[in-house]
């Protein structure tokens, strides 16, 4: 039987979820453990998706300076990450209820965005040159989108056919060897390899 009160309650709940950031909620997230031991193949991106905690929050709470590098056996704590997520959700609700808008422009923000954009372009150019984006591309011992050697894959990961896993391994390799994707691309342009 049609229940108007129940229908209105559900509609109000859905509208509230969308208005206050509930669109980011996921039904397939698992409750984060208080102590997690990194397993082979884990990345912060995978853990973030699995437990519904942002990569930045995990990195901050575990003093990880390079989000592309975690080590098998490393212990990660999600305990404070859960509290931080709750605080963020609460802040989002408060911010959504407030109608004040502030606009700030700074040259350092523009520089940062420009640098990230050119770094992304360099990374995309490397992927296009090395594999054309094919996660199964091989050239002798080199494999995947970044054409990493077996030794590099042992250190940085990227042994699966998962695009994000290979991308994170490639980024970690580039960060360790060249610092930035732009430097790696410049080396690739000069030598034909990176």
């Amino acid at each position: 039987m049609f229940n108007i009160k129940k229908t209105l309650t559900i509609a109000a709940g859905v509208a509230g979820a969308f208005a206050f950031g509930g669109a980011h909620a996921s039904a397939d997230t698992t409750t984060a453990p208080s102590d997690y031991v990194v397993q082979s193949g884990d990345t912060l991106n995978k853990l973030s998706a699995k437990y519904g905690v942002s990569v930045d929050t995990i990195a901050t709470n575990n003093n990880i300076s390079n989000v592309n590098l975690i080590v098998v056996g490393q212990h990660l704590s999600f305990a404070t990450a859960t509290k931080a997520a709750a605080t963020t959700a609460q802040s989002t609700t408060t911010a959504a209820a407030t109608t004040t808008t502030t606009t700030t422009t700074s040259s350092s923000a523009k520089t940062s965005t420009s640098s990230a954009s050119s770094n992304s372009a360099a990374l995309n150019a490397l992927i296009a040159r090395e594999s054309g984006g094919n996660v199964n591309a091989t050239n002798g011992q080199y494999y995947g989108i970044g054409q990493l050697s077996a030794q590099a894959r042992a250190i940085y990961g990227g042994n699966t056919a998962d695009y994000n896993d290979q991308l994170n391994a490639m980024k970690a390799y580039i960060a360790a060897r060249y610092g930035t994707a732009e430097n790696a691309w410049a080396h690739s342009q000069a030598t034909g390899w990176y």
Side-chain angles (χ1 to χ4, degrees), residues 2-27:
F2 183 73
N3 183 337
I4 190 75
K5 185 175 181 181
K6 184 175 182 181
T7 303
L8 289 174
T9 303
I10 292 170
V14 170
F18 281 113
F20 297 120
H24 298 293
S26 174

Side-chain angles (χ1 to χ4, degrees), residues 7 11 18 21 30 33 38 59 62 81 94 110 113 125 133 149 152-153 158 173 189:
T7 303
F18 281 113
T30 307
V38 174
N62 292 283
T94 305
K110 290 178 185 174
T113 304
S149 67
R153 290 192 318 270
Y173 169 77
Q189 291 285 78

Side-chain angles (χ1 to χ4, degrees), residues 57-141:
T57 301
I58 297 170
T60 301
N61 290 336
N62 292 283
N63 298 321
I64 298 172
S65 58
N66 182 353
V67 295
N68 297 313
L69 182 63
I70 56 175
V71 182
V72 172
Q74 180 177 356
H75 289 262
L76 299 177
S77 172
F78 293 98
T80 54
T82 306
K83 291 177 188 171
T87 304
T88 302
Q90 211 170 25
S91 297
T92 303
T93 304
T94 305
T98 306
T99 57
T100 306
T101 303
T102 306
T103 305
T104 307
T105 306
S106 74
S107 61
S108 64
K110 290 178 185 174
T111 304
S112 161
T113 304
S114 172
S115 174
S117 174
S118 60
N119 218 9
S120 177
L123 185 63
N124 289 336
L126 280 167
I127 291 170
R129 172 181 267 179
E130 295 296 323
S131 66
N134 181 356
V135 295
N136 296 311
T138 58
N139 181 9
Q141 69 169 346

Side-chain angles (χ1 to χ4, degrees), residues 33-39 42 47 51 74-78:
S34 59
D35 183 50
Y36 179 82
V37 179
V38 174
Q39 305 296 313
D42 280 345
L47 295 174
Y51 296 117
Q74 180 177 356
H75 289 262
L76 299 177
S77 172
F78 293 98

